[in-house]
Amino acid sequence: MNILLTGGTGYIGSHAAVELLNLSHDLTLLDNLSNSKPTVVEKIAEITKKSPEFIKIDLLDEPSLNDFFQNHSFDLVIHFAGKKAVGESVEKPLEYYENNVKGSINLFKAMSRHGIKKLIFSSSATVYGMRDVEKFTEDMETGMNISSPYGRSKFMIEEILKDLAASDPDWQISLLRYFNPIGNHPSGLIGEDPNGTPNNLMPIIMKVAKGEIPELKIYGTDYDTEDGTCLRDYIHVVDLAKGHVAAMNYLSPGVSIYNLGSGVGTSVKEMVEAFEFASGKPLPHSFAPRRPGDIARIIADPAKANRELNWRTTLSVKDAMKDTLTFLKKSPASRENNYIP
Ligand code: NAD
Ligand code: UD1
């Protein structure tokens, strides 16, 4: 198949590109490089021995996007492109709605105009909103009590896609709700390398290991969980990438929705222990009050994806930590604390 990946040089897009190239699909990666580097394309080629096409376009640049679609034909689009920093979205809501919602509308309009009506969209567990449940299932109501403009932009795009599919039966759309992606390709050649100060757990752990942040603060030790720290459903990004291949193989008319998660919760303390096990060294950390907006557990029920997509996670948090260490060893790092061998 001839596939377009928007946001294809980003963290998840680059891992999906590897899986799809390994299956001999033809790929074009479209990105404005606002949160990724063009060198990722060479790394993908190094891993797969195949070269995807790369095109630098901003989804907000409608004329360039239309020119591009005028000259290219695709069977399917996987739409990863978007801004994803939760805290920044609270400070700059208009930028987030414009980039994520308007950028998506521009893409869907261009696809529609050129008769490309197969789409996989990167959504997030954040659309379920803040609520205290053991596990999230796809039939639960979405849109209530979402903690950020980022999260609401994902909810809005999901709703737009439902309306689009209702208006035209030719659309085949899969909404994939990711839980917490971690890890990287085992080669260590690609991985998450965020610009600026991260807020998510794994990028912070990596910066502590590189000596760029003195310690990890574990937010909250009095949650109603076994060790008092929050539980999240961490999913290895290679498993997540394979979820896109599965979704692609089972696309059907209308909108289908899938949770992509492992179904298993891991606590923040367990994450620290898993990293320490992989590195063989203690990770500097301290305990701090709860982070506003956090809830005790966010865990997927992945049964629908297991059943309908014939997909399930095969890699563990332990695998993700091992691969993260490989990535860290290959990245230019400040080794002042000599943490990374
Ligand atoms: P990422 O930032 O690494 O990748 C996104 C890519 O999109 C970047 O390369 C960026 O340069 C590009 N981009 C952003 N706006 C663009 C625009 N207007 N035009 C063209 N390119 C643009 O993020 P990621 O972690 O790979 O996430 C991919 C998708 O998955 C995002 O939509 C994100 O919201 C979603 N998601 C991510 C997570 C996570 O924890 N990483 C969780 C749930 C959902
Ligand atoms: C966060 C976002 C969510 C988004 C997701 C993307 C919030 C409230 N939620 O979710 O909308 O979809 O990222 O992956 O921002 N932790 C620490 N110390 C740190 C950082 C994190 O203890 O320095 C803890 C957090 O309290 C949480 C866990 O680690 O319990 C995971 O945090 P994080 O990686 O930010 O993900 P989420 O909170 O699940």
Side-chain angles (χ1 to χ4, degrees):
M1 272 215 264
N2 200 354
I3 307 171
L4 173 68
L5 271 57
T6 74
T9 46
Y11 171 48
I12 302 168
S14 58
H15 286 84
V18 167
E19 295 306 316
L20 292 163
L21 286 168
N22 282 341
L23 293 168
S24 298
H25 293 290
D26 292 320
L27 298 195
T28 301
L29 314 181
L30 178 155
D31 207 293
N32 67 358
L33 300 178
S34 59
N35 198 35
S36 55
K37 299 185 181 80
T39 48
V40 169
V41 182
E42 292 149 33
K43 309 275 185 197
I44 293 170
E46 197 177 331
I47 296 170
T48 61
K49 314 286 178 242
K50 289 175 189 139
S51 296
E53 267 194 46
F54 173 73
I55 174 100
K56 186 178 176 207
I57 293 183
D58 192 318
L59 292 180
L60 294 178
D61 179 356
E62 234 184 321
S64 299
L65 194 61
N66 282 324
D67 276 357
F68 169 73
F69 272 93
Q70 195 72 46
N71 298 310
H72 294 76
S73 170
F74 298 103
D75 302 303
L76 165 77
V77 176
I78 311 185
H79 178 32
F80 296 99
K83 285 176 173 286
K84 63 163 183 178
V86 172
E88 189 186 46
S89 80
V90 176
E91 284 156 29
K92 302 173 182 169
L94 296 179
E95 222 173 271
Y96 267 67
Y97 288 124
E98 182 177 41
N99 191 74
N100 292 4
V101 182
K102 185 157 193 299
S104 295
I105 292 174
N106 288 348
L107 173 69
F108 307 153
K109 273 165 64 185
M111 287 175 67
S112 193
R113 205 171 291 134
H114 294 91
I116 304 164
K117 297 186 179 178
K118 287 186 178 168
L119 175 77
I120 296 177
F121 172 60
S122 296
S123 190
S124 165
T126 190
V127 300
Y128 290 116
M130 314 253 287
R131 64 167 93 154
D132 187 12
V133 293
E134 280 297 312
K135 292 195 177 181
F136 289 95
T137 53
E138 292 86 348
D139 54 4
M140 286 176 176
E141 195 191 350
T142 52
M144 299 288 289
N145 224 1
I146 295 178
S147 62
S148 68
Y150 161 73
R152 272 185 287 280
S153 77
K154 290 287 167 192
F155 170 70
M156 287 175 191
I157 300 164
E158 283 201 358
E159 296 303 296
I160 289 168
L161 288 172
K162 289 177 194 168
D163 288 337
L164 185 58
S167 75
D168 176 351
D170 289 343
W171 279 92
Q172 301 190 12
I173 298 171
S174 198
L175 308 180
L176 302 183
R177 294 180 180 154
Y178 311 158
F179 281 68
N180 291 51
I182 58 166
N184 46 261
H185 190 267
S187 64
L189 290 170
I190 52 173
E192 187 168 27
D193 193 6
N195 299 330
T197 315
N199 289 305
N200 294 115
L201 180 62
M202 229 22 242
I204 292 176
I205 289 181
M206 289 160 75
K207 286 212 181 262
V208 173
K210 287 203 274 184
E212 292 172 12
I213 296 178
E215 61 171 12
L216 167 74
K217 287 189 167 51
I218 296 182
Y219 295 133
T221 52
D222 58 349
Y223 285 98
D224 179 21
T225 60
E226 210 153 289
D227 66 20
T229 65
C230 290
L231 299 174
R232 293 290 180 271
D233 187 335
Y234 297 96
I235 171 172
H236 195 298
V237 69
V238 171
D239 276 334
L240 183 62
K242 289 182 174 160
H244 294 74
V245 176
M248 185 179 103
N249 292 338
Y250 287 92
L251 267 178
S252 57
V255 174
S256 309
I257 306 176
Y258 298 101
N259 286 340
L260 294 187
S262 67
V264 175
T266 304
S267 76
V268 184
K269 276 188 188 166
E270 287 170 333
M271 290 293 281
V272 172
E273 283 160 18
F275 189 82
E276 290 177 335
F277 179 81
S279 68
K281 292 183 188 179
L283 184 84
H285 64 271
S286 64
F287 297 100
R290 291 183 177 199
R291 182 173 69 175
D294 271 345
I295 52 175
R297 53 178 61 71
I298 304 179
I299 302 170
D301 180 343
K304 189 176 177 214
N306 297 165
R307 194 176 59 243
E308 293 185 11
L309 301 181
N310 197 19
W311 168 91
R312 65 192 64 246
T313 58
T314 57
L315 299 167
S316 63
V317 163
K318 212 172 154 188
D319 294 318
M321 295 306 185
K322 183 167 159 270
D323 296 335
T324 300
L325 259 302
T326 307
F327 177 69
L328 282 173
K329 282 177 199 165
K330 293 203 174 175
S331 315
S334 133
R335 296 202 170 88
E336 275 162 35
N337 68 349
N338 208 18
Y339 190 95
I340 303 161

